[in-house]
Amino acid sequence: MADIYKEIQKRILVLDGAMGTMLQRYNFSEEDFRGERFKDYPSSLKGNNDLLSLTQPNAIADIHRKYFEAGADIVETNTFSGTTIAMADYDMENLVYELNYESAVIAKYVATEFTNKNPDKPRFVAGSIGPTNRTASLSPDVNRPEYRAVTFDQLRVAYKQQVEALIDGGVDLLLVETIFDTLNAKAALFAIEEVKEDRNIDIPIMVSGTITDASGRTLSGQTVEAFLASVSHIPLLSVGFNCALGAEQLQPYLKRLSNQTGFYTSAHPNAGLPNAFGEYDQTPKQMQTLIEAYLKDGLINIIGGCCGTNPEHINAIAEVAKNYKPRQTDVAV
């Protein structure tokens, strides 16, 4: 995938916005989530957004299309919860390969459609690898601090299955994102390296951590610098932050990261902080102004949006990003 390395040197690349925010617009019912195939499934399926790649594929394709139309260079597959560990909530562990594969195929189909229309602006698909709903570093039981709900090896096996399916489906790169526990991410990176070795391939990897609060640390307690040190043993396309914070709150941590790494940098912050109802009020124009501060400081190579962002936000970000040069780095191509 030499192409993305070429493109990232030419300009700031734009990542898409939130999948969940867009899916809320459809107001899908339990029956919509089930579709014909799962109409008699014994578990409740509403909320299993990854399943929509099988039951509502046209909606998923349409969301990818809207983000590309807004100016995105990269869209993420609808696979944030695409591991056996996360799918256990719905008793759908056996569908994990198919969910990831089909999600990748849908996104790649739309990306190819846009690349063919404008070959000078190739579009890419990032296989979204979420953190799972368990943590390898922390105990979920305050009375048993030594207890862990998942092991490193269980994570590695689950991530490997997801990675194989995403690659088979045609993704251009892998995005290990919303990392609140770096040990989980290290299991994902280990799994990716295993697949690369098994198949004798190389594939670009993005890593994106989550600063959870004003302490400036991840949930598992790492500072920006510690997080960076923990993931820099593998050659990465980019390292960055997403989720939990808005663009304004994220800026000081991004600055520290940018000053410390030779990798390309990425950010996809939320549309501000949630209000009392858990909703995001930040307008595209407000977010654009905050993102422009990143660009003026030369902090970024890949920029997009997380919770609360939609194609209007991505369009505003893309409009301002084209006026700035990408952050300079010493990454060897």
Side-chain angles (χ1 to χ4, degrees):
M1 275 309 301
D3 282 355
I4 196 158
Y5 286 101
K6 280 185 201 158
E7 297 302 317
I8 203 168
Q9 291 173 72
K10 292 183 201 167
R11 65 185 193 278
I12 295 168
L13 297 181
V14 177
L15 189 67
D16 62 2
M19 174 63 74
T21 300
M22 291 299 289
L23 286 172
Q24 284 171 7
R25 294 182 176 185
Y26 288 85
N27 205 19
F28 285 134
S29 65
E30 175 73 32
E31 288 67 34
D32 295 324
F33 273 88
R34 288 173 176 273
E36 187 61 29
R37 178 174 167 186
F38 301 103
K39 69 177 198 289
D40 298 322
Y41 207 78
S43 307
S44 171
L45 300 179
K46 190 173 180 181
N48 186 356
N49 287 350
D50 293 25
L51 182 63
L52 295 170
S53 294
L54 302 184
T55 57
Q56 302 291 338
N58 291 338
I60 302 302
D62 196 42
I63 290 168
H64 291 320
R65 207 166 272 120
K66 283 186 167 74
Y67 279 125
F68 279 137
E69 285 166 353
D73 297 287
I74 307 166
V75 297
E76 299 169 57
T77 54
N78 179 39
T79 54
F80 187 80
S81 300
T83 57
T84 49
I85 292 167
M87 280 294 144
D89 287 355
Y90 300 97
D91 300 315
M92 287 193 150
E93 297 96 322
N94 63 322
L95 283 174
V96 162
Y97 182 90
E98 186 183 359
L99 287 172
N100 284 280
Y101 178 82
E102 292 300 335
S103 295
V105 167
I106 292 165
K108 188 64 177 176
Y109 179 85
V110 180
T112 303
E113 184 183 296
F114 277 81
T115 299
N116 289 343
K117 276 188 213 163
N118 183 4
D120 293 335
K121 186 181 163 76
R123 310 302 178 102
F124 302 98
V125 174
S128 172
I129 299 171
T132 81
N133 48 7
R134 297 185 197 170
T135 166
S137 293
L138 303 167
S139 172
D141 185 347
V142 291
N143 298 313
R144 296 170 62 203
E146 79 290 352
Y147 173 69
R148 297 292 180 270
V150 70
T151 67
F152 183 92
D153 207 50
Q154 286 168 336
L155 286 164
R156 177 191 65 80
V157 170
Y159 281 129
K160 189 172 183 181
Q161 183 184 17
Q162 181 175 30
V163 168
E164 287 174 334
L166 288 169
I167 291 172
D168 289 348
V171 300
D172 304 300
L173 57 147
L174 296 167
L175 169 55
V176 183
E177 64 167 313
T178 321
I179 299 163
F180 57 79
D181 183 343
T182 312
L183 193 55
N184 286 38
K186 286 172 86 72
L189 293 171
F190 192 94
I192 292 167
E193 290 302 302
E194 277 194 315
V195 175
K196 282 165 61 175
E197 196 174 315
D198 290 348
R199 299 186 176 206
N200 195 25
I201 59 166
D202 199 10
I203 187 165
I205 306 165
M206 293 176 65
V207 163
S208 185
T210 296
I211 299 293
T212 49
D213 56 34
S215 72
R217 293 173 181 263
T218 64
L219 187 67
S220 54
Q222 286 191 312
T223 61
V224 170
E225 293 78 9
F227 167 70
L228 181 62
S230 295
V231 297
S232 294
H233 60 296
I234 285 175
L236 302 173
L237 172 69
S238 67
V239 63
F241 291 120
N242 75 291
C243 207
L245 302 177
E248 184 176 17
Q249 296 83 11
L250 195 59
Q251 188 174 1
Y253 308 117
L254 200 58
K255 192 173 281 190
R256 280 162 58 186
L257 181 80
S258 180
N259 290 338
Q260 294 282 334
T261 185
F263 296 131
Y264 293 116
T265 53
S266 75
H268 49 297
N270 292 346
L273 296 174
N275 62 25
F277 302 101
E279 295 163 347
Y280 294 87
D281 301 324
Q282 197 168 80
T283 66
K285 186 69 188 166
Q286 289 169 329
M287 193 169 183
Q288 181 190 56
T289 303
L290 295 168
I291 293 290
E292 191 165 16
Y294 294 6
L295 309 177
K296 284 176 178 169
D297 284 351
L299 300 181
I300 215 77
N301 300 101
I302 303 171
I303 187 72
C306 203
C307 304
T309 59
N310 57 43
E312 291 76 33
H313 290 86
I314 298 309
N315 184 245
I317 289 168
E319 283 300 306
V320 74
K322 68 186 181 191
N323 301 326
Y324 290 86
K325 286 189 163 46
R327 168 182 166 272
Q328 295 305 298
T329 178
D330 56 3
V331 171
V333 179

